[in-house]
Amino acid sequence: MGNYKLGVEIISAHDLMPKDGQGSSSPYVELHFDGQKFRTTIKEKDLNPVWNERFYFNIADPFSLHELSLEASVYSMNKVTHSGSFLGKVLIAGTTFVPFADAVVMHYPLEKRGLLSRVKGELGLKVFLTDDPSIKPSNPLPAIDPHHNNPPPSQAYQVSAQIQKSNRSRPTKELRYTFNSIPKEVQVQQHHYSAPVTEPSRYVTDPMKPEPQPARIVNMYSSAASQQPVDYALKETSPFLGGGQIVGGRVIRAEKPTSTYDLVEQMQYLFVRVVKAQDLPAMDVTGSLDPYVEVKVGNYKGITKHFEKKQNPEWNEVFSFSREQLQASILEVVVKDKDLVKDDFVGIVRFDLNDVPTRVPPDSPLAPEWYRLEDKKGNKTKGELMVAVWIGTQADESFPDAWQSDAAAAIDAAAVSSHIRSKVYHAPRLWYVRVNIVEVQDIVIADKTRFPDVYVKAQLGNQILRTRAVQARTFSPLWNEEFMFVAAEPFEDHLILSIEDHVGPNKDEVIGRVVIPVGSIEKRLDDRIILGRWFSLEKPAMIDVDQLKKDKFSSRIHLRVCLDGGYHVLDESTHYSSDLRPTAKQLWKPSIGLLELGILNAEGLHPMKSREGRGTSDTYCVAKYGQKWVRTRTIINSLSPRYNEQYTWEVYDPATVLTVGVFDNCQLEKATNGKKDTKIGKVRVRLSTLETGRVYTHSYPLLVLHPSGVKKMGELHLAIRFSSTSIINMMQIYSRPLLPKMHYIRPLTVMQQDMLRHQAVQMVAARLSRMEPPLRREVVEYMSDVDSHLWSMRRSKANFFRFTSVFSGLFAASKWFGGVCMWKNPITTVLVHILFMMLVCFPELILPTIFLYMFVIGIWNYRFQPRYPPHMNTKISHAEAVHSDELDEEFDTFPTSRSAELVRMRYDRLRSVAGRIQAVVGDLATQGERVQALLSWRDPRATAIFMVFCMVAAVVLYVTPLQVLVLILGFYVMRHPRFRHRMPSAPFNFFRRLPARTDSML
């Protein structure tokens, strides 16, 4: 491992507290880290000092970095006493340290040292980790002369000799360190078969039991889900997993410790690793050999690639055979010679499966052995083969890249190796690029008889935006317009700005352009102003060079460009976000827990294709949380596939959603012709609805909306566990803003969010589709709900019914109070009068009564708390009673591909619906405008009446106790029907007569 160092660049400070009695200070900064101390120079009489000094600290143990912190204290030098007055400090946790490539200058507000300290201002620091061997730790500063720009000798620090000695005596270790450190409690291996190492050992059930009991399925319904069909409901199961049987979310019957791979059923496989061969005999007349190896167990056969004319080949390929499907006791590893007509037999090695050893991680991989080849009669022959054979589970590190016996008989082996293996994908880190186009100076055009009509076209990848056109009478047009783009790491694209002149209809000429590499753009984490820069324009390719020499082409453009790292780049629907962190790693908080997902199996899947005269499917699952996407292996020819794969994610916010989708693999045939993978269904699980530490084992219905209506495509069986590292940190999350700070201090418009989200999804889809095997674009778009913003009559109705359901409680309460006022039940009305009098006479009881009432309701509702995660609900989605034409409209392309007559009918229907919405919104606006008209003198008589009423009300309220007025008002509202009139009251009539702005509308 390299010698890692912590680099700290002290940039500047701003608005420091004056300490010298003359309205100023002489500041310097002290840095403390792991017993090492350094100090900057002193800036005389400067409340906004600039240092730009860099220091490097030794890191003794990178694994303990998350337990350390960097402290930067600002002092003001007193020349008389040669001591420093405290101006503030900054404490930076080791979990936020990032590599140099991710480091950005951050301005930290100075913190107090104690309750009585008075500090203000901020300190700009750039903190990073590096393993550059050419960089040496900083040397201690020399002794200090108080008359120079240095601190006194008492403040001269040196690196502790004991620390240096301990570093020299510490034994060297082979370490691998990743900079995005994880809290010690949840340090895990980030691969798709990992589990938290701090979890207690799990256990398996009784080893003498031949088979686990069948899972006990319990139908569970919420009040909202009870109205939908039973077949669409969630089902709780009690399966036997690696840690024992799960009942009610708890592991029971635990007797024997096993691995932490405990959320799935362990499946045993026979693994065969074919490494290489040597001294193979020549088979052809020419004395050459084209060897390959055939691994055969019963009816299952796997084949390695072949080499041409090579007697000492190296394959290093792994084959896995499911033990459940094996019906043979002998494993045959045959070496053959590739031939045009018939492959020749070279030699064979046989293994008795009863003698094959079992390997359980974390045991080291089994060492391969040399085996002498035999002929068909069992006699030793020339040549040796190096092979390793063992029994393992899907937790074996060789399993993801191994050849699968499940796919052997169905499809081509080449297609299998590239499309069916399980993989983990990491989506690229996305940034917002902010471009402020200020002005262009001294543009040159060919036609001097006209003023140019100029605009700027900004392009980043396939994102193109344009400014408004400006008629440049001074040949220096001014825009001051701001654009936002999305960029992905690594930054491969360039920002291209073209200045174009609109010379005629559909005719634009390029005046000049500038190309800016995205990687060279300055990064920022807050809303500080980015200084503008002038960029010289490049002359276009097709331009008159003589004219340019004559006019001295020196046009330039003024830009403010930055990479905004303080935002969270939205690349999925805001309702189902799986990550809310900002782009810049320096702003990330420590993780609060661990999410573990076991994808067990699927049942009752609909056949998606036909093979050998029967319906079948080749399915795989994709799970998405944060930037980590995972894909299970493809199970061939099965409508009840068993995956049994386990994955792990770090959790930073419980208000996030895990999404798991099921797809049919359509890339396994030789001629796919760009056919898309078919979506079967998906499941969403919101982490905040999960209890920490509980194992949720449920069978989720895969509900998909088709043009023919809602359809259940099968069921997906999942095991989920959310583990929290600290309940205090979990509770603190609920007091923090949902999105990063930049979303509130400099918010994006709704139009910007929609446009940028679309670009972000397309960018992620493009990057993931370039990986091997590719995660296809249709998969990424389906998992990210790319079309959730499009119009749907069904969604509009569903949202309307959701709106009415939310306010149904208020409507019921108002209806009940109306019955009280109408004396429908005199006893209830009298009791309400008594309660009303008590609250008026003792107003201090009003708020305690309300909160006590809500507390009692909460305690009562605890009995009915849901014991399972929420799932898809066809009733809430308004998917059962939807009209077929509305479904056809929802599945229509954008723009539409339907006939003009059908589009006209749908447009008229949309106008009718929008007209009713328009009327409701207009009525709400009218009521608000009438309230404003009370004092606006738009109706002078109405305003005069209201002013007289306000004057009289002020006098009455002054001389009359408030309790008396409230009692009179309450008794008037609840008066008996014999004292009521059917005509509206005077205040209501007065309010209805007030003017609104409807008269001013066209």
Side-chain angles (χ1 to χ4, degrees), residues 721-737:
R721 178 170 55 212
F722 174 38
S723 305
S724 173
T725 56
S726 171
I727 190 63
I728 297 178
N729 293 340
M730 179 77 71
M731 294 304 179
Q732 288 179 346
I733 290 290
Y734 283 88
S735 64
R736 296 176 187 167

PDB file of all heavy atoms in Angstrom, residues 721-737:
ATOM      1  N   ARG A 721     -33.855  -6.600   4.712  1.00  0.00           N
ATOM      2  CA  ARG A 721     -33.508  -6.215   6.074  1.00  0.00           C
ATOM      3  C   ARG A 721     -32.820  -4.863   6.045  1.00  0.00           C
ATOM      4  O   ARG A 721     -31.894  -4.632   5.268  1.00  0.00           O
ATOM      5  CB  ARG A 721     -32.576  -7.249   6.724  1.00  0.00           C
ATOM      6  CG  ARG A 721     -32.146  -6.847   8.150  1.00  0.00           C
ATOM      7  CD  ARG A 721     -31.439  -7.976   8.869  1.00  0.00           C
ATOM      8  NE  ARG A 721     -30.304  -8.461   8.115  1.00  0.00           N
ATOM      9  CZ  ARG A 721     -29.882  -9.724   8.132  1.00  0.00           C
ATOM     10  NH1 ARG A 721     -30.520 -10.628   8.833  1.00  0.00           N
ATOM     11  NH2 ARG A 721     -28.834 -10.100   7.408  1.00  0.00           N
ATOM     12  N   PHE A 722     -33.301  -3.946   6.877  1.00  0.00           N
ATOM     13  CA  PHE A 722     -32.726  -2.610   7.024  1.00  0.00           C
ATOM     14  C   PHE A 722     -32.117  -2.511   8.418  1.00  0.00           C
ATOM     15  O   PHE A 722     -32.835  -2.586   9.416  1.00  0.00           O
ATOM     16  CB  PHE A 722     -33.804  -1.546   6.807  1.00  0.00           C
ATOM     17  CG  PHE A 722     -33.335  -0.143   7.081  1.00  0.00           C
ATOM     18  CD1 PHE A 722     -32.063   0.261   6.729  1.00  0.00           C
ATOM     19  CD2 PHE A 722     -34.167   0.778   7.692  1.00  0.00           C
ATOM     20  CE1 PHE A 722     -31.629   1.558   6.982  1.00  0.00           C
ATOM     21  CE2 PHE A 722     -33.754   2.065   7.947  1.00  0.00           C
ATOM     22  CZ  PHE A 722     -32.479   2.451   7.589  1.00  0.00           C
ATOM     23  N   SER A 723     -30.795  -2.395   8.486  1.00  0.00           N
ATOM     24  CA  SER A 723     -30.084  -2.343   9.762  1.00  0.00           C
ATOM     25  C   SER A 723     -29.584  -0.926   9.994  1.00  0.00           C
ATOM     26  O   SER A 723     -28.975  -0.322   9.106  1.00  0.00           O
ATOM     27  CB  SER A 723     -28.900  -3.315   9.765  1.00  0.00           C
ATOM     28  OG  SER A 723     -29.317  -4.622   9.444  1.00  0.00           O
ATOM     29  N   SER A 724     -29.827  -0.388  11.181  1.00  0.00           N
ATOM     30  CA  SER A 724     -29.415   0.965  11.532  1.00  0.00           C
ATOM     31  C   SER A 724     -28.192   0.912  12.435  1.00  0.00           C
ATOM     32  O   SER A 724     -28.124   0.098  13.363  1.00  0.00           O
ATOM     33  CB  SER A 724     -30.550   1.708  12.239  1.00  0.00           C
ATOM     34  OG  SER A 724     -30.103   2.963  12.715  1.00  0.00           O
ATOM     35  N   THR A 725     -27.225   1.777  12.159  1.00  0.00           N
ATOM     36  CA  THR A 725     -26.021   1.826  12.989  1.00  0.00           C
ATOM     37  C   THR A 725     -26.237   2.637  14.252  1.00  0.00           C
ATOM     38  O   THR A 725     -25.600   2.387  15.272  1.00  0.00           O
ATOM     39  CB  THR A 725     -24.857   2.438  12.190  1.00  0.00           C
ATOM     40  OG1 THR A 725     -25.248   3.746  11.710  1.00  0.00           O
ATOM     41  CG2 THR A 725     -24.505   1.567  11.004  1.00  0.00           C
ATOM     42  N   SER A 726     -27.131   3.619  14.222  1.00  0.00           N
ATOM     43  CA  SER A 726     -27.373   4.464  15.391  1.00  0.00           C
ATOM     44  C   SER A 726     -28.788   5.016  15.311  1.00  0.00           C
ATOM     45  O   SER A 726     -29.148   5.684  14.334  1.00  0.00           O
ATOM     46  CB  SER A 726     -26.356   5.610  15.459  1.00  0.00           C
ATOM     47  OG  SER A 726     -26.706   6.535  16.468  1.00  0.00           O
ATOM     48  N   ILE A 727     -29.590   4.757  16.332  1.00  0.00           N
ATOM     49  CA  ILE A 727     -30.960   5.264  16.338  1.00  0.00           C
ATOM     50  C   ILE A 727     -30.976   6.778  16.486  1.00  0.00           C
ATOM     51  O   ILE A 727     -31.866   7.457  15.981  1.00  0.00           O
ATOM     52  CB  ILE A 727     -31.764   4.588  17.473  1.00  0.00           C
ATOM     53  CG1 ILE A 727     -33.246   4.921  17.345  1.00  0.00           C
ATOM     54  CG2 ILE A 727     -31.209   4.978  18.828  1.00  0.00           C
ATOM     55  CD1 ILE A 727     -33.907   4.411  16.093  1.00  0.00           C
ATOM     56  N   ILE A 728     -29.943   7.349  17.159  1.00  0.00           N
ATOM     57  CA  ILE A 728     -29.880   8.804  17.317  1.00  0.00           C
ATOM     58  C   ILE A 728     -29.637   9.466  15.967  1.00  0.00           C
ATOM     59  O   ILE A 728     -30.290  10.455  15.610  1.00  0.00           O
ATOM     60  CB  ILE A 728     -28.783   9.174  18.330  1.00  0.00           C
ATOM     61  CG1 ILE A 728     -29.131   8.609  19.715  1.00  0.00           C
ATOM     62  CG2 ILE A 728     -28.597  10.687  18.400  1.00  0.00           C
ATOM     63  CD1 ILE A 728     -28.071   8.885  20.758  1.00  0.00           C
ATOM     64  N   ASN A 729     -28.674   8.931  15.204  1.00  0.00           N
ATOM     65  CA  ASN A 729     -28.429   9.485  13.864  1.00  0.00           C
ATOM     66  C   ASN A 729     -29.660   9.334  12.978  1.00  0.00           C
ATOM     67  O   ASN A 729     -29.960  10.213  12.158  1.00  0.00           O
ATOM     68  CB  ASN A 729     -27.237   8.779  13.218  1.00  0.00           C
ATOM     69  CG  ASN A 729     -25.944   9.075  13.931  1.00  0.00           C
ATOM     70  OD1 ASN A 729     -25.843  10.068  14.653  1.00  0.00           O
ATOM     71  ND2 ASN A 729     -24.953   8.219  13.759  1.00  0.00           N
ATOM     72  N   MET A 730     -30.384   8.236  13.135  1.00  0.00           N
ATOM     73  CA  MET A 730     -31.599   8.033  12.355  1.00  0.00           C
ATOM     74  C   MET A 730     -32.633   9.101  12.681  1.00  0.00           C
ATOM     75  O   MET A 730     -33.280   9.662  11.779  1.00  0.00           O
ATOM     76  CB  MET A 730     -32.158   6.643  12.649  1.00  0.00           C
ATOM     77  CG  MET A 730     -33.452   6.326  11.915  1.00  0.00           C
ATOM     78  SD  MET A 730     -33.191   5.913  10.207  1.00  0.00           S
ATOM     79  CE  MET A 730     -32.429   4.308  10.404  1.00  0.00           C
ATOM     80  N   MET A 731     -32.810   9.412  13.950  1.00  0.00           N
ATOM     81  CA  MET A 731     -33.786  10.427  14.336  1.00  0.00           C
ATOM     82  C   MET A 731     -33.360  11.820  13.868  1.00  0.00           C
ATOM     83  O   MET A 731     -34.198  12.656  13.522  1.00  0.00           O
ATOM     84  CB  MET A 731     -33.989  10.403  15.848  1.00  0.00           C
ATOM     85  CG  MET A 731     -34.629   9.118  16.360  1.00  0.00           C
ATOM     86  SD  MET A 731     -36.213   8.782  15.550  1.00  0.00           S
ATOM     87  CE  MET A 731     -36.681   7.249  16.327  1.00  0.00           C
ATOM     88  N   GLN A 732     -32.060  12.092  13.879  1.00  0.00           N
ATOM     89  CA  GLN A 732     -31.592  13.407  13.445  1.00  0.00           C
ATOM     90  C   GLN A 732     -31.880  13.650  11.970  1.00  0.00           C
ATOM     91  O   GLN A 732     -32.068  14.798  11.554  1.00  0.00           O
ATOM     92  CB  GLN A 732     -30.100  13.544  13.717  1.00  0.00           C
ATOM     93  CG  GLN A 732     -29.744  13.699  15.185  1.00  0.00           C
ATOM     94  CD  GLN A 732     -28.245  13.798  15.406  1.00  0.00           C
ATOM     95  OE1 GLN A 732     -27.454  13.502  14.510  1.00  0.00           O
ATOM     96  NE2 GLN A 732     -27.850  14.221  16.600  1.00  0.00           N
ATOM     97  N   ILE A 733     -31.904  12.572  11.192  1.00  0.00           N
ATOM     98  CA  ILE A 733     -32.176  12.725   9.760  1.00  0.00           C
ATOM     99  C   ILE A 733     -33.527  13.392   9.535  1.00  0.00           C
ATOM    100  O   ILE A 733     -33.710  14.182   8.596  1.00  0.00           O
ATOM    101  CB  ILE A 733     -32.126  11.350   9.072  1.00  0.00           C
ATOM    102  CG1 ILE A 733     -30.693  10.823   9.040  1.00  0.00           C
ATOM    103  CG2 ILE A 733     -32.689  11.403   7.675  1.00  0.00           C
ATOM    104  CD1 ILE A 733     -29.777  11.576   8.122  1.00  0.00           C
ATOM    105  N   TYR A 734     -34.503  13.096  10.407  1.00  0.00           N
ATOM    106  CA  TYR A 734     -35.856  13.613  10.207  1.00  0.00           C
ATOM    107  C   TYR A 734     -35.935  15.125  10.424  1.00  0.00           C
ATOM    108  O   TYR A 734     -36.935  15.743  10.059  1.00  0.00           O
ATOM    109  CB  TYR A 734     -36.827  12.892  11.133  1.00  0.00           C
ATOM    110  CG  TYR A 734     -37.181  11.511  10.660  1.00  0.00           C
ATOM    111  CD1 TYR A 734     -36.406  10.408  11.004  1.00  0.00           C
ATOM    112  CD2 TYR A 734     -38.273  11.295   9.837  1.00  0.00           C
ATOM    113  CE1 TYR A 734     -36.713   9.139  10.556  1.00  0.00           C
ATOM    114  CE2 TYR A 734     -38.595  10.032   9.388  1.00  0.00           C
ATOM    115  CZ  TYR A 734     -37.814   8.957   9.751  1.00  0.00           C
ATOM    116  OH  TYR A 734     -38.123   7.693   9.289  1.00  0.00           O
ATOM    117  N   SER A 735     -34.927  15.729  11.026  1.00  0.00           N
ATOM    118  CA  SER A 735     -34.933  17.180  11.220  1.00  0.00           C
ATOM    119  C   SER A 735     -34.183  17.911  10.122  1.00  0.00           C
ATOM    120  O   SER A 735     -34.172  19.139  10.100  1.00  0.00           O
ATOM    121  CB  SER A 735     -34.310  17.525  12.586  1.00  0.00           C
ATOM    122  OG  SER A 735     -32.938  17.149  12.625  1.00  0.00           O
ATOM    123  N   ARG A 736     -33.557  17.188   9.212  1.00  0.00           N
ATOM    124  CA  ARG A 736     -32.772  17.815   8.156  1.00  0.00           C
ATOM    125  C   ARG A 736     -33.607  17.994   6.896  1.00  0.00           C
ATOM    126  O   ARG A 736     -34.571  17.267   6.677  1.00  0.00           O
ATOM    127  CB  ARG A 736     -31.538  16.950   7.832  1.00  0.00           C
ATOM    128  CG  ARG A 736     -30.559  16.809   8.984  1.00  0.00           C
ATOM    129  CD  ARG A 736     -29.431  15.871   8.600  1.00  0.00           C
ATOM    130  NE  ARG A 736     -28.557  15.585   9.725  1.00  0.00           N
ATOM    131  CZ  ARG A 736     -27.645  14.617   9.727  1.00  0.00           C
ATOM    132  NH1 ARG A 736     -27.532  13.832   8.670  1.00  0.00           N
ATOM    133  NH2 ARG A 736     -26.879  14.415  10.789  1.00  0.00           N
ATOM    134  N   PRO A 737     -33.223  18.943   6.047  1.00  0.00           N
ATOM    135  CA  PRO A 737     -33.930  19.095   4.769  1.00  0.00           C
ATOM    136  C   PRO A 737     -33.797  17.844   3.919  1.00  0.00           C
ATOM    137  O   PRO A 737     -32.803  17.112   3.999  1.00  0.00           O
ATOM    138  CB  PRO A 737     -33.228  20.301   4.116  1.00  0.00           C
ATOM    139  CG  PRO A 737     -32.544  21.010   5.232  1.00  0.00           C
ATOM    140  CD  PRO A 737     -32.191  19.977   6.244  1.00  0.00           C
TER     141      PRO A 737
END
